[in-house]
Amino acid sequence: FIKKSIEDGDVQNQRAGYEVEASIYQSLGDKRNFTKAIEKALETTLASNDLAVQERIYYRAAQGYYFLTDWAQSINYYDKLRNIAITKNDKFTESSILSTMAFINTRAGDVEKGLLLNKEALSKTKQIKTLTDSVTAIKNQTLVGNHYTLTSAYLTLENPDSALYHIDEALKLTTIADSCSIKYLYFMQADGWINKNDLRKAEQSLDNAEQICTSTSKDALLQKYAYRGEIALNKKEYRVAVDNFLNAFRAFNVREEQEGLMGDMYKLTAKAYKGLGKLDSANIYLEKYINTSNELDRMKSDIYSVAKRQEVASFKKELKALSEQKAQKESLLLYGGIAGGIVILLLVFGLVKSNKQHKENEQKFEALLAKVAVAKRPEEIIDTKDEVLEEQSTTDVNPETTQQILDGLKKLEDQNYFLHPACSAHNVAKRIKTNTTYLSKVINAEFGKNFSTYVNDLRINYAIIRLKQDSKFRSYTISSIATELGYKSADSFTKYFKKDTGLLPSFYIKKLNETA
């Protein structure tokens, strides 16, 4: 078909032929020949000034490269599509493309960039005015996509509260006509509940997914069995977990280029087999997990690669110890016969948590509580010093004025004025009857920090102590806590709390509730 189109000089049919060829090679997982075909299609497209034609080929390229896990190329073509959408002033398409780019960045390990793109997409969609029912329907569909990709980002950041909030927002916008799309929202919801260790609600979400749509696509089956397996693993129902993970692998029929995406499932399968005491099988899946490193390293950032190698080393060491214990037990059973029977040594071994990050968080939590215990004043818990200061000298501020400013700051601290959203340098200076220049100089010189750091330290120290002492405050959502502290968003609070303590607020609250 392509050969005849070339002979006839029919550029349109040449393009159509290359598109079909690219589609075939994509289905076969043949990236080299997909690239050849799509580049030929693009050559015929560049000669055309038809934006609709360019859009179609760019979509084919973007989606094909995503499927073939060449995410850098996929984002490259999605960026071209976004430029076309901007040219056409098509805000719906632009928002959808931003969400897709955010999702790819999140999966590739750049979660912060993914979060920024997601928020930009959501903001653009909300700004669109809806004058007709059809436009409202399109807007709602776009918003569902925005919330879905935001959920993925928050799950990657281990922030299940924000993830579940966005899934709830997405579900409010769906209709029964979207049933098979809703199925995937419920899968994400299940993931959030698993992260919060609420396994009953996670199972309910999976039941809802089954009831809403009977799709048996390999992707739907993969997620169904994977989440069922993870729930069973958390319940220590190891046989059920193994069966579900094996069903997931059979249903999806993983291609070689997709192996990198299966890493976490291989790791969970290894854990399930370890729970059953089948250490040989556990080692097989641990090896599969290790063998995904090259592929995963290509797709994810260096920081994720390093974390994975550390996790593998820890888990492999644990399996080796278990294997040695098992060999010792078999030797005792074989040779340790004593008159009247066999003495069996009871092997009691705890399952060491393989997640290194979780262990580090436990240590940081204990260290933070220790600091709280010895601190005589709240400001001794977190006391950040800025390396770059606007002005460290107060030579042009007389001692009386300096003392007046310090007294005024102490009075405002006692009144918890720093919790007010309007706590700015201008408003603080106004309240203590000085100017912002003098205020900044005194804070820089006396506290070794800028005004914003000074206020943020007060807020974080207040949060650390109040959360520890007030169980009711711990029951608030992260968003509500952030509002109480004067932050404009939950993200800002989470960012500064993590920066100052090394912990996510949700983890700190969870540990406080466990030790209460």
Side-chain angles (χ1 to χ4, degrees):
F1 178 83
I2 293 171
K3 184 178 178 181
K4 186 175 189 307
S5 299
I6 293 171
E7 289 171 353
D8 294 345
D10 188 337
V11 176
Q12 187 173 341
N13 272 341
Q14 284 179 51
R15 185 186 306 122
Y18 289 128
E19 280 187 74
V20 175
E21 190 176 38
S23 178
I24 292 168
Y25 284 123
Q26 176 188 319
S27 298
L28 291 170
D30 187 339
K31 179 182 166 184
R32 185 175 65 85
N33 282 313
F34 168 84
T35 300
K36 286 183 180 179
I38 206 67
E39 285 178 352
K40 290 287 186 181
L42 286 167
E43 284 176 17
T44 65
T45 304
L46 294 175
S48 169
N49 292 321
D50 189 336
L51 281 182
V53 170
Q54 291 180 25
E55 253 185 320
R56 190 177 74 247
I57 305 299
Y58 288 156
Y59 264 118
R60 167 65 65 196
Q63 292 171 346
Y65 280 119
Y66 175 79
F67 180 84
L68 295 166
T69 65
D70 189 340
W71 291 347
Q73 279 283 50
S74 181
I75 287 178
N76 174 45
Y77 284 107
Y78 274 120
D79 196 48
K80 293 179 185 294
L81 286 165
R82 183 189 178 192
N83 290 333
I84 292 176
I86 292 171
T87 301
K88 295 166 63 176
N89 196 29
D90 184 347
K91 295 190 182 298
F92 283 128
T93 300
E94 184 187 0
S95 177
S96 295
I97 290 168
L98 280 169
S99 281
T100 305
M101 292 169 71
F103 184 73
I104 296 171
N105 273 285
T106 298
R107 296 198 74 182
D110 195 345
V111 187
E112 293 300 330
K113 184 173 181 180
L115 207 53
L116 287 173
L117 290 170
N118 268 314
K119 289 177 179 177
E120 185 182 354
L122 187 61
S123 174
K124 284 185 181 296
T125 309
K126 287 182 174 178
Q127 290 170 11
I128 300 171
K129 294 181 180 179
T130 54
L131 303 176
T132 65
D133 289 343
S134 61
V135 175
T136 300
I138 296 170
K139 180 176 181 178
N140 287 347
Q141 289 173 359
T142 307
L143 283 169
V144 168
N146 297 153
H147 285 298
Y148 180 87
T149 52
L150 267 167
T151 300
S152 175
Y154 280 120
L155 286 172
T156 305
L157 286 170
E158 296 182 7
N159 186 345
D161 289 326
S162 295
L164 289 167
Y165 165 78
H166 284 287
I167 278 296
D168 286 342
E169 291 298 298
L171 287 168
K172 290 175 189 175
L173 297 165
T174 57
T175 66
I176 195 63
D178 309 311
S179 61
C180 284
S181 297
I182 298 172
K183 185 184 187 84
Y184 290 94
L185 296 179
Y186 280 126
F187 283 146
M188 279 287 205
Q189 189 180 61
D191 199 342
W193 289 123
I194 290 171
N195 271 267
K196 287 178 72 70
N197 203 32
D198 193 332
L199 304 182
R200 185 186 62 79
K201 287 184 178 178
E203 287 176 326
Q204 183 59 58
S205 295
L206 292 180
D207 290 342
N208 290 340
E210 291 299 299
Q211 292 166 12
I212 199 74
C213 171
T214 58
S215 170
T216 56
S217 70
K218 67 177 188 176
D219 187 55
L221 289 172
L222 173 73
Q223 294 198 48
K224 166 189 167 182
Y225 288 124
Y227 288 127
R228 293 284 186 197
E230 191 169 356
I231 290 170
L233 180 60
N234 288 346
K235 287 181 170 182
K236 298 185 179 179
E237 297 173 354
Y238 300 119
R239 181 72 265 168
V240 176
V242 166
D243 289 344
N244 274 289
F245 290 138
L246 295 183
N247 282 336
F249 295 134
R250 280 192 288 266
F252 196 71
N253 190 23
V254 184
R255 286 198 180 99
E256 185 179 350
E257 72 274 5
Q258 296 168 320
E259 286 282 335
L261 302 177
M262 295 294 117
D264 287 341
M265 278 190 64
Y266 290 150
K267 178 183 68 176
L268 293 175
T269 307
K271 285 185 176 182
Y273 271 121
K274 186 183 76 172
L276 283 175
K278 295 188 175 183
L279 303 183
D280 289 342
S281 296
N283 268 310
I284 289 170
Y285 278 94
L286 180 62
E287 286 301 320
K288 289 174 77 71
Y289 179 48
I290 295 168
N291 290 338
T292 62
S293 288
N294 290 337
E295 184 66 13
L296 197 62
D297 288 352
R298 182 179 68 78
M299 295 187 291
K300 292 189 174 183
S301 66
D302 289 342
I303 189 168
Y304 279 80
S305 303
V306 169
K308 178 176 177 179
R309 284 192 288 270
Q310 291 172 338
E311 190 176 26
V312 166
S314 173
F315 193 50
K316 197 167 186 178
K317 183 179 179 182
E318 185 182 352
L319 279 179
K320 183 180 178 182
L322 289 173
S323 296
E324 289 172 353
Q325 288 177 352
K326 184 175 180 181
Q328 184 183 15
K329 178 181 177 181
E330 289 170 350
S331 177
L332 286 167
L333 285 171
L334 186 60
Y335 303 110
I338 299 176
I342 299 173
V343 176
I344 302 175
L345 297 180
L346 179 62
L347 302 178
V348 180
F349 50 87
L351 294 178
V352 179
K353 293 179 182 178
S354 62
N355 191 325
K356 185 174 182 294
Q357 185 63 52
H358 186 76
K359 291 178 183 177
E360 290 176 352
N361 285 343
E362 295 272 0
Q363 293 169 357
K364 289 174 184 175
F365 173 76
E366 295 299 332
L368 181 58
L369 288 192
K371 287 179 73 174
V372 173
V374 300
K376 295 178 181 178
R377 295 173 295 125
E379 52 266 37
E380 292 178 0
I381 302 170
I382 301 299
D383 185 16
T384 309
K385 301 299 182 186
D386 287 321
E387 293 182 8
V388 179
L389 295 171
E390 298 163 14
E391 179 63 72
Q392 298 185 53
S393 172
T394 57
T395 53
D396 57 341
V397 183
N398 64 57
E400 291 79 10
T401 301
T402 298
Q403 192 57 49
Q404 173 205 329
I405 291 171
L406 291 173
D407 291 343
L409 288 172
K410 182 66 172 66
K411 184 177 179 181
L412 290 179
E413 285 179 24
D414 293 341
Q415 296 170 355
N416 288 339
Y417 180 69
F418 55 85
L419 299 179
H420 200 290
C423 181
S424 64
H426 173 77
N427 288 336
V428 168
K430 187 176 178 182
R431 281 176 173 265
I432 60 179
K433 297 181 173 55
T434 187
N435 58 56
T436 55
T437 301
Y438 281 3
L439 175 67
S440 293
K441 287 183 176 183
V442 170
I443 290 176
N444 286 180
E446 297 294 328
F447 300 111
K449 61 187 75 177
N450 294 318
F451 177 82
S452 60
T453 305
Y454 163 76
V455 172
N456 193 66
D457 282 358
L458 290 171
R459 288 175 174 174
I460 297 301
N461 283 326
Y462 177 89
I464 290 168
I465 293 172
R466 186 172 171 191
L467 285 168
K468 185 175 184 298
Q469 297 174 346
D470 188 348
S471 60
K472 185 176 179 181
F473 192 48
R474 293 200 296 269
S475 69
Y476 289 11
T477 64
I478 298 298
S479 180
S480 298
I481 293 172
T483 302
E484 285 272 325
L485 298 173
Y487 288 102
K488 292 181 180 179
S489 70
D491 291 342
S492 294
F493 167 53
T494 299
K495 171 186 171 184
Y496 288 115
F497 194 93
K498 177 76 184 293
K499 175 177 172 289
D500 289 339
T501 68
L503 301 170
L504 290 172
S506 55
F507 182 88
Y508 180 62
I509 292 167
K510 178 184 174 185
K511 294 300 295 179
L512 287 173
N513 287 331
E514 289 175 0
T515 56

